[in-house]
């Protein structure tokens, strides 16, 4: 019997309310021995699939063409129980396309088609999760069902689904799909943005739109079906019972890896993601079938899958470029985030991430002569695992089938072969030989390689060392105890999967960084980043080209690596007849409010604002004697900055204090170059004076000649061991102007005019050991205003700025003994016009011992003490006719009179003798007076004519 249903521009809906046609025995081999029914679509090839058996539930067939043909063949009529094996009841209705919203999408009209015999049991447009309210005004876009491949029954091509609402549907969806059918759905993304890579995603979050026959039960559901109400999605070999299934290939052909195979329905279909811009979906049905559903009766058959296109960075390790080998190479000098592959992986896949630190730029010019030849690797890999977990796409609460089935291994070193073993813990005694499987789906087993060491293993049950807090915003950096640091320049990550990630997704996220240990120049001292650059040119040879260097890139020297402060000293030593020329650019201050501005009193730059992160230039006119003379301070970038020294030795100091946990060399640093310049005339004078006291004259004439420029270099006043300096200059201290936030934020570098504060443009700069000089507005000697500036050595007050103490601290070295405080002073005349000035100095020593003083600090009282300074001076200066102390304490009459300078014990002896002499005179005088009184009494008692005198009588 043959029935034709034809209607132009319409769709037929055929309802089989009851159906009995022979017996149904098998899905594959001669399943309909007594008879069968076939449905043929107009202009479609015949596929030969057959239906038979008995069904009581409503089954609907929706045509995809304007004409269908039903062919019913009864080969054997028999009576079973009360009825014959041939009976069916069928109804049909012609539908307009706009009513078939489940298949084509769109918004249904106000009128709904209903069968008179039985209503439709599926909701309208259920694939988009919308209700059946026909009065709404929101319009749903129509589906793009692909382009039918000519000569096929249901194979279709989809292109550029990022701009279309693509849907993959089984034939005649949502009705009964044909038997003995194979449909191919080829999805390809042609237009990909620049620098991106396309991934194709097929999924169905709404499980009601998937119903594929998955078991042979004809009349009674199984126990599992009764428990889950017939809603179960089956995978892989579970679909072989009926052989109705959907297969997803990672590519455009069936030779590509299979990433998912499923059947059943009622629950959401997990995402199956291709590794490239092409994906193939294959729908296969068995030759024979029956309309009876294995569980509850429902009118929806087949499947509908959503298509999505995702774009990832083309140069990121988020997808495998080779479908047959999941292997990634991460080389370079930077850092990044490493995540699981964004596409689905087949079962029994091993992904290897080879991480190697390497400088891809290569050396240039003569820079290689300053590069240290590392005995140890230049790079080390710093790796932190933020998260790792394995879940179940169908039911996340279900555990894995085996202990540590899918796991992540971290190997210290390079891996040239894919490691594996038969035991989960790689027991060498139970290891087996590495197999030579060529298929990526084969299980690779064998001994672990000898060129790498296993340092950690992560799986669902084990997480040895993680750094979860780094996932939070503004979190501290991962500590060494929360991460891994390779011993060499290579580290390998191995991801082993026993099941496909479409069903058992594996999620991990990690941070990696190639720590660059290289530093330009040669080591100097024992500081972690103190370097030296020495001129290697010869007089008869051409000068060396500029050498480029930069701040260190070792992250462990910065806040993110655990350090709070950093101090790097770069020393440059030229040959005789040469000077040092520096160029600095790319200064990074970590966003701190600080700007490099012109000084108002010198030709140098100063740091305005918060100079806690800066590059400072120092000049050493006396090589290793005396302190470095501070020149420029750079805390922000200066265009075309250049510094040329007047001596053979210069230094650059890079200092940062109070770094946070997010700061590294990207936040703070600089780029620079050094060049040794030959000059025809070089300043050879030492400009160094010393002595217990002295006077120095600073003279300048305008315009200055080359010889006078040499004479105006800084003068070093070098005290004796254990002594400090005190100098006097006639004039007044003039401060640098304070800069407000507006000036700093707008990068205003012009120095303000301070001519009204000083009658001359000349300045005397005193370098007492701090970061900035003391600027003095000098006055000529004949000026009547007696205004004196007094300056002490920096170490005299014992109260040094903490920042200056950090910056000026010498690099630790075995051949230096820096326990004493700064004692030297440097004086420089910054001459703009003619002038002559005097500077006097005086050596001082401590009167009382200092707990933090130098090793030569004196203790106790001193014989020659300046009371106004509370300090001791040299004995030779005491009462030498010149007042050295500020109040003339050393030339007072009480100290300098010859009579008063008699020693105390001699003065006491003389006083005692004088007292004895005085007492003797008094005693003699009193004795004479007593004798005279006695003689007078005798004379009165004797007459004058009878008086007789003794010649020996002494009359007082």
């Amino acid at each position: 019997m043959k029935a034709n249903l034809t209607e132009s521009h319409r769709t037929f809906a055929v309802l089989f309310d009851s159906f009995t046609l022979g017996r149904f025995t098998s899905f594959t081999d001669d399943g309909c021995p007594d008879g069968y029914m076939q449905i043929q679509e107009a202009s479609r090839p015949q596929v030969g699939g057959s239906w038979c058996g008995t069904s009581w539930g409503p089954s609907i067939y929706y045509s995809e063409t304007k004409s269908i043909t039903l062919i019913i063949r009864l080969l054997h009529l028999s009576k079973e129980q009360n009825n014959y094996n041939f009976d069916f009841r069928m109804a049909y209705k012609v539908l307009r396309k706009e009513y078939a919203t489940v298949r084509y999408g769109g918004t249904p009209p106000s009128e709904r088609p209903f069968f008179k015999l039985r209503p439709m049991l599926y909701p309208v447009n259920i694939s988009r999760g919308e209700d059946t309210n026909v009065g709404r005004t929101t319009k749903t876009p129509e589906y793009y069902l692909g382009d039918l491949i000519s000569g096929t029954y249901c194979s279709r091509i989809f292109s550029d689904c990022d701009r279309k609402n693509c849907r993959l549907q089984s034939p005649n969806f949502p009705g009964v799909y044909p038997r003995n059918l194979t449909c191919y759905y080829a999805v390809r993304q042609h237009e990909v943005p620049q620098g991106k890579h396309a991934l194709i995603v097929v999924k169905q979050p709404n499980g009601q739109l998937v119903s594929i026959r998955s078991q042979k039960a004809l009349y009674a559901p199984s126990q599992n079906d009764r428990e889950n109400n017939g809603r179960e999605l089956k995978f892989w070999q579970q679909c072989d019972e009926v052989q109705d299934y959907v297969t997803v290939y990672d590519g455009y052909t069936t030779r590509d890896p299979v990433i998912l195979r499923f059947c059943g329905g009622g629950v959401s279909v997990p995402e199956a993601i291709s590794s490239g811009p092409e994906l193939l979906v294959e729908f296969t049905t068995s030759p024979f079938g029956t309309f009876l559903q294995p569980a509850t009766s429902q009118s929806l058959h087949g499947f509908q899958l959503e298509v999505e296109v995702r774009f990832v960075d083309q140069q990121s390790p988020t997808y495998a470029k080779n479908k047959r080998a999941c292997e990634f190479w991460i080389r370079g000098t930077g850092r990044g985030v490493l995540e699981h592959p964004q596409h689905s992986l087949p079962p029994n896949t091993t992904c290897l991430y080879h991480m190697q630190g390497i400088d891809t730029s290569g050396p240039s010019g003569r820079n290689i002569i300053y590069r240290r030849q590392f005995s140890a690797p230049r790079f080390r890999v710093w790796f932190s695992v933020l998260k790792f977990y394995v879940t179940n796409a169908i039911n996340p609460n279900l555990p894995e089938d085996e202990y540590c089935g899918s796991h992540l291994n971290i190997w210290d070193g390079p891996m040239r072969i894919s490691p594996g073993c038969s035991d989960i813990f790689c027991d060498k005694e139970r290891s087996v030989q590495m197999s030579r499987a060529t298929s990526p789906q084969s299980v690779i087993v064998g001994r672990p390689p000898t060129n790498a060491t296993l340092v950690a293993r992560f799986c669902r049950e084990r997480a040895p060392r993680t750094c979860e807090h780094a996932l939070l915003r503004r979190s501290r950096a991962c500590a060494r105890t929360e991460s891994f640091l390779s011993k060499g320049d290579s580290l390998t990550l191995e991801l082993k999967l026993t099941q496909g990630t479409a069903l058992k997704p594996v999620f991990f996220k990690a941070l990696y960084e190639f720590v660059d240990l290289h530093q330009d120049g040669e080591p100097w001292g024992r500081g972690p980043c103190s370097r030296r650059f020495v001129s290697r040119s010869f007089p008869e040879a051409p000068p060396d080209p500029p050498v480029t260097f930069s701040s260190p890139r070792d992250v462990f020297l910065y806040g993110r690596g655990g350090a709070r402060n950093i101090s790097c000293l770069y020393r440059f030593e030229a040959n005789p007849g040469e000077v040092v020329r520096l160029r600095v650019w790319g200064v990074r201050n970590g966003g701190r409010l600080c700007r490099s501005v012109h000084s108002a009193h010198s030709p140098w730059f100063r740091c305005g604002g918060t100079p806690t992160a800066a590059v400072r230039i120092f000049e050493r006119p006396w090589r290793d004697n005396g302190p470095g003379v501070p020149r420029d301070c750079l805390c922000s970038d200066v265009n075309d900055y250049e510094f040329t020294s007047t001596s053979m030795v210069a230094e650059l100091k890079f200092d940062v204090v109070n770094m946070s946990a997010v700061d590294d060399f990207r936040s703070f640093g600089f780029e620079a170059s050094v060049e040794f310049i030959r000059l025809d005339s070089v300043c050879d004078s030492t400009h160094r004076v010393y002595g217990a006291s002295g006077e120095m004259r600073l003279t300048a004439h305008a315009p200055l000649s080359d010889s006078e420029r040499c004479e105006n270099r800084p003068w070093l006043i070098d005290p004796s061991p254990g002594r400090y300096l005190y100098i006097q200059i006639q004039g007044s201290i003039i401060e640098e102007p304070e800069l407000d936030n507006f000036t700093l934020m707008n990068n205003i570098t012009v120095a303000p005019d301070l001519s009204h504060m000083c009658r001359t443009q000349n300045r005397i700069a005193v370098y007492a050991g701090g970061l900035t000089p003391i600027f003095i507005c000098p006055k000529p000697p004949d000026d009547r205003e007696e205004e004196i500036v007094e300056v002490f050595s920096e170490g005299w007050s014992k109260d040094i700025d903490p920042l200056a103490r950090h910056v000026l601290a010498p690099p630790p070295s075995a051949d230096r003994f820096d326990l004493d405080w700064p004692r030297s002073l440097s004086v420089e005349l910054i001459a703009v016009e003619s002038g002559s000035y005097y500077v006097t100095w005086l050596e001082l020593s401590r009167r009382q011992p200092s707990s933090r003083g130098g090793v030569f600090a004196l203790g106790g009282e001193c014989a020659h003490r300046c009371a106004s300074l509370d300090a001791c001076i040299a004995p030779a200066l005491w009462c030498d006719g010149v007042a050295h102390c500020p109040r003339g304490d050393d030339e007072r009459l009480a100290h300098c009179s010859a009579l008063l300078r008699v020693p105390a014990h001699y003065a006491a002896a003389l006083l005692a003798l004088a007292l004895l002499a005085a007492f003797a005179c008094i005693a003699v005088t009193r004795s004479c007076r007593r004798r005279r009184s006695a003689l007078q009494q005798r004379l009165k008692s004797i007459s004058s004519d009878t008086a007789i005198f003794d010649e020996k009588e002494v009359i007082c």
Side-chain angles (χ1 to χ4, degrees):
M1 183 179 69
K2 180 183 294 186
N4 293 324
L5 300 176
T6 304
E7 182 71 20
S8 60
H9 307 291
R10 300 295 177 107
T11 298
F12 289 100
V14 180
L15 173 65
F16 295 94
D17 189 60
S18 64
F19 181 83
T20 300
L21 179 58
R23 292 175 296 119
F24 175 77
T25 60
S26 173
F27 286 95
T28 56
D29 299 327
D30 194 17
C32 298
D34 297 337
Y36 55 85
M37 181 185 71
Q38 294 179 340
I39 303 178
Q40 297 180 2
E41 296 272 357
S43 68
R44 298 287 177 87
Q46 297 183 7
V47 295
S50 303
W51 283 277
C52 60
T54 302
S55 173
W56 293 282
S59 298
I60 305 178
Y61 181 94
Y62 293 95
S63 69
E64 292 189 345
T65 61
K66 62 182 180 179
S67 176
I68 62 174
T69 301
L70 277 72
I71 301 175
I72 299 176
R73 288 189 173 92
L74 181 62
L75 303 178
H76 178 71
L77 180 63
S78 63
K79 183 176 182 180
E80 297 179 358
Q81 295 180 355
N82 297 327
N83 297 315
Y84 290 93
N85 63 347
F86 178 71
D87 175 47
F88 67 88
R89 185 168 53 186
M90 179 185 70
Y92 70 92
K93 187 176 182 64
V94 179
L95 301 177
R96 299 175 59 180
K97 182 179 180 180
E98 56 266 24
Y99 286 98
T101 56
V102 176
R103 178 188 298 182
Y104 300 108
T107 303
S110 57
E111 296 182 0
R112 292 286 308 277
F114 290 93
F115 285 104
K116 295 182 180 180
L117 297 177
R118 198 178 294 267
M120 295 177 62
L121 302 178
Y122 57 89
V124 176
N125 200 20
I126 195 170
S127 64
R128 303 190 62 86
E130 299 177 359
D131 55 23
T132 57
N133 183 11
V134 296
R136 63 183 183 273
T137 57
T138 303
K139 292 186 177 181
T140 304
E142 292 187 357
Y143 299 148
Y144 173 59
L145 302 180
D147 299 327
L148 182 66
I149 300 177
S150 178
T152 65
Y153 187 91
C154 53
S155 297
R156 295 178 178 270
I157 294 179
F158 297 78
S159 61
D160 297 331
C161 286
D162 60 329
R163 302 178 181 179
K164 305 172 185 176
N165 200 9
C166 296
R167 291 293 186 272
L168 309 184
Q169 295 181 355
S170 58
N172 312 107
F173 179 84
V176 177
Y177 51 83
R179 311 308 304 177
N180 196 31
L181 192 67
T182 299
C183 302
Y184 295 101
Y185 305 87
V187 186
R188 176 177 291 177
Q189 181 67 25
H190 296 279
E191 297 182 5
V192 181
Q194 184 70 23
K196 295 293 183 178
H197 181 78
L199 307 178
I200 308 298
V201 184
V202 291
K203 60 181 179 178
Q204 182 49 264
N206 196 332
Q208 298 183 23
L209 295 181
V210 178
S211 179
I212 303 174
R213 188 72 176 267
S214 62
Q215 66 178 4
K216 294 182 178 180
L218 300 179
Y219 301 106
S222 63
Q223 179 66 25
N224 295 331
D225 291 333
R226 286 194 295 268
E227 292 176 357
N228 55 30
N229 295 325
R231 297 181 178 181
E232 182 184 9
L233 205 62
K234 297 183 179 182
F235 304 95
W236 305 112
Q237 292 82 4
Q238 297 175 351
C239 298
D240 292 340
E241 186 176 1
V242 178
Q243 297 191 5
D244 287 2
Y245 48 77
V246 175
T247 305
V248 183
Y249 296 90
D250 183 13
Y252 219 53
T253 67
T254 55
R255 297 186 299 273
D256 291 307
V258 178
I259 56 180
L260 182 63
R261 176 176 293 169
F262 69 91
C263 59
V267 295
S268 60
V269 178
E271 293 183 347
I273 309 174
S274 68
S275 61
E278 299 174 342
L279 180 139
L280 180 66
V281 176
E282 178 187 22
F283 177 49
T284 303
T285 63
S286 60
F288 305 95
T290 177
F291 290 133
L292 180 67
Q293 293 296 305
T296 58
S297 299
Q298 52 183 341
S299 57
L300 191 147
H301 299 256
F303 66 91
Q304 182 188 79
L305 299 179
E306 300 179 3
V307 181
E308 180 184 351
V309 180
R310 296 176 184 174
F311 298 101
V312 297
D313 293 335
Q314 190 174 16
Q315 300 301 326
S316 64
T318 55
Y319 67 97
K321 297 179 175 62
N322 187 350
K323 301 174 185 178
R324 296 291 176 180
C326 181
E327 198 165 9
F328 305 89
W329 294 90
I330 301 99
R331 298 186 178 99
T333 60
R335 60 173 177 168
V337 179
L338 203 61
E339 294 185 272
H340 55 275
Q342 299 299 311
H343 54 86
S344 302
L345 295 172
N348 300 324
T349 300
T350 298
C351 293
L352 292 177
Y353 296 82
H354 304 277
M355 289 175 283
Q356 181 184 14
I358 185 172
D359 187 3
T360 57
S361 60
S364 60
R366 292 283 296 277
N367 295 3
I368 191 64
I369 65 175
Y370 288 110
R371 296 188 180 273
R372 178 182 177 185
Q373 299 297 327
F374 282 92
S375 57
R378 170 179 172 177
F379 293 92
R380 298 181 73 181
V381 184
W382 188 19
F383 192 79
S384 303
V385 178
L386 306 186
K387 66 176 181 179
F388 179 87
Y389 61 92
V390 182
T391 184
N392 191 308
I394 305 302
N395 188 353
N397 298 323
L398 291 178
E400 282 202 75
D401 297 336
E402 56 181 319
Y403 179 73
C404 277
S406 297
H407 57 272
L408 181 72
N409 293 333
I410 300 178
W411 298 84
D412 187 357
M415 294 177 60
R416 300 181 181 88
I417 59 176
S418 299
C421 61
S422 60
D423 189 17
I424 192 66
F425 295 105
C426 289
D427 187 2
K428 293 184 178 180
E429 297 180 357
R430 299 178 58 187
S431 299
V432 297
Q433 186 68 23
M434 177 77 70
S435 68
R436 298 180 176 272
T438 58
S439 172
Q441 301 181 14
S442 300
V443 181
I444 301 178
V445 295
R447 294 181 178 271
T450 58
N451 57 329
T453 303
L454 181 64
V455 295
R457 169 163 295 169
F458 292 81
C459 62
R460 181 167 180 168
E461 297 82 7
R462 295 166 55 91
R465 193 183 302 176
T466 57
C467 184
E468 297 91 345
H469 64 82
L471 295 171
L472 304 176
R473 308 184 77 181
R474 297 186 178 183
S475 173
R476 63 174 174 85
C478 298
R480 294 285 292 272
T481 57
E482 301 171 322
S483 54
F484 304 91
L485 186 64
S486 66
K487 296 180 181 179
D489 60 358
S490 299
L491 187 142
T492 306
L493 199 66
E494 179 192 24
L495 179 63
K496 295 184 70 68
L497 306 171
T498 57
Q499 300 186 22
T501 57
L503 299 179
K504 297 293 183 68
V506 176
F507 300 93
F508 76 87
K509 187 173 185 180
L511 301 178
Y512 71 89
E513 183 165 1
F514 301 112
V515 180
D516 191 352
L517 306 180
H518 168 75
Q519 295 187 38
D520 298 293
E522 59 186 33
W524 185 61
R526 292 183 299 176
C529 54
S530 296
R531 316 296 291 177
R532 184 175 68 167
F533 296 80
V534 181
S535 175
R536 292 181 171 84
S537 63
F538 300 95
E540 63 275 7
D544 291 338
V547 176
T548 302
F549 64 98
S550 63
S551 53
R553 301 176 65 86
D554 187 352
V555 68
F556 294 109
L557 298 178
Y558 295 85
R560 197 163 55 84
R564 184 171 177 82
N565 305 324
I566 183 175
S567 180
C568 299
L569 176 61
Y570 298 84
R571 182 180 174 93
F572 313 98
E573 298 178 1
N575 293 328
E578 296 179 339
V579 294
V580 180
R581 176 176 294 172
L582 293 174
R583 293 182 175 90
V584 182
W585 65 90
V587 178
R588 305 178 294 277
N589 62 2
R592 300 184 181 182
L593 191 59
C594 186
R595 293 291 182 270
S596 304
V597 298
H598 290 281
S599 173
H601 310 299
S602 69
W604 318 113
F605 283 95
R606 70 184 182 97
C607 292
T610 307
T612 55
V615 175
R616 295 176 174 87
I617 310 297
F618 293 86
E619 192 171 5
R620 285 193 170 271
W622 314 281
R623 203 170 180 87
D624 293 327
N625 296 319
V629 178
R631 291 309 190 192
D632 291 307
C633 180
L634 306 177
C635 61
S636 63
D637 215 2
V638 177
N639 294 329
D640 301 328
Y641 171 80
E642 182 178 294
F643 168 79
T644 302
S645 68
T646 58
S647 59
M648 294 188 302
V649 179
E651 293 178 347
L652 183 147
K653 286 277 291 182
F654 169 60
D655 296 277
V656 184
V657 298
N658 298 327
M659 287 184 290
S660 65
V662 298
D663 294 328
D664 57 9
F665 57 88
R666 299 172 182 84
S667 306
F668 300 97
F670 68 93
E671 306 290 332
S673 67
V674 59
E675 184 179 7
F676 300 102
I677 305 298
R678 296 177 184 174
L679 298 179
D680 297 334
S681 60
V682 182
C683 302
D684 296 328
S685 59
T686 59
H687 275 226
R688 179 182 178 188
V689 295
Y690 50 88
S693 69
E695 184 177 68
M696 181 170 51
R697 183 181 179 184
L698 304 178
T699 306
H701 302 282
L704 297 178
S705 61
D706 293 339
S707 61
E708 290 175 332
R709 291 185 185 277
C710 288
E711 291 300 324
N712 285 332
R713 287 192 306 151
W715 287 84
L716 173 66
I717 307 175
D718 196 9
S720 304
R723 297 185 180 272
Y724 299 86
L725 291 175
Y726 163 76
I727 64 174
Q728 288 184 344
I729 302 175
Q730 188 172 356
S732 60
I733 295 179
I734 183 169
E735 301 285 348
E736 292 278 7
E738 295 290 336
L739 302 180
D740 54 11
N741 292 340
F742 176 81
T743 303
L744 297 175
M745 296 178 66
N746 289 275
N747 201 19
I748 300 176
T749 61
V750 180
D753 185 11
L754 300 180
S755 59
H756 62 283
M757 301 180 63
C758 187
R759 289 181 293 179
T760 179
Q761 298 183 23
N762 295 339
R763 298 289 186 272
I764 295 179
V766 179
Y767 306 100
L771 297 178
T772 58
I774 301 173
F775 290 108
I776 299 174
C777 174
K779 295 183 179 179
D782 54 355
D783 197 306
R784 296 182 180 180
E785 296 182 6
E786 295 184 0
E787 190 173 0
I788 302 298
V789 176
E790 301 175 321
V791 181
F792 291 85
S793 296
E794 186 75 11
W796 179 259
S797 64
K798 297 176 293 183
D799 186 16
I800 301 180
D801 180 22
L803 180 61
R805 183 175 180 85
H806 168 80
V807 173
L808 300 176
S813 177
D815 55 351
R816 299 193 62 171
F817 189 60
D818 294 289
L819 298 179
D820 206 0
W821 295 83
R823 298 179 295 107
S824 300
L825 287 176
S826 302
V827 180
E828 180 182 16
L829 175 62
I830 303 175
V832 179
E833 55 191 19
S834 300
S836 179
Y837 314 99
Y838 288 91
V839 178
T840 60
W841 77 86
L842 176 65
E843 286 188 353
L844 305 177
S845 60
R846 297 191 184 279
R847 177 171 166 265
Q848 295 292 341
S850 173
S851 59
R852 296 189 302 168
V855 294
F856 303 104
L858 301 179
E861 296 290 339
C862 58
H864 308 91
R865 172 175 170 267
C866 287
S868 57
L869 299 178
D870 192 20
C872 305
I873 64 174
L877 304 180
W878 196 259
C879 298
D880 61 348
V882 179
H884 299 284
C885 296
R887 298 178 183 176
D889 298 341
D890 56 326
E891 299 298 330
R892 288 184 181 178
L893 181 62
H895 300 157
C896 301
S897 174
L899 183 60
L900 296 178
R901 284 185 290 172
V902 176
H905 59 281
Y906 288 110
L910 291 176
L911 181 60
L913 292 175
L915 291 176
L916 291 175
F919 285 131
C921 291
I922 294 173
V924 171
T925 302
R926 288 182 177 180
S927 178
C928 290
R929 286 181 179 178
R930 287 195 298 268
R931 292 182 180 183
R932 184 181 297 170
S933 175
L935 181 60
Q936 289 179 353
Q937 293 294 333
R938 293 176 57 187
L939 290 176
K940 288 181 181 180
S941 61
I942 302 175
S943 59
S944 58
D945 54 351
T946 60
I948 301 175
F949 294 93
D950 190 356
E951 294 180 358
K952 296 181 181 180
E953 188 77 21
V954 178
I955 301 175
C956 295

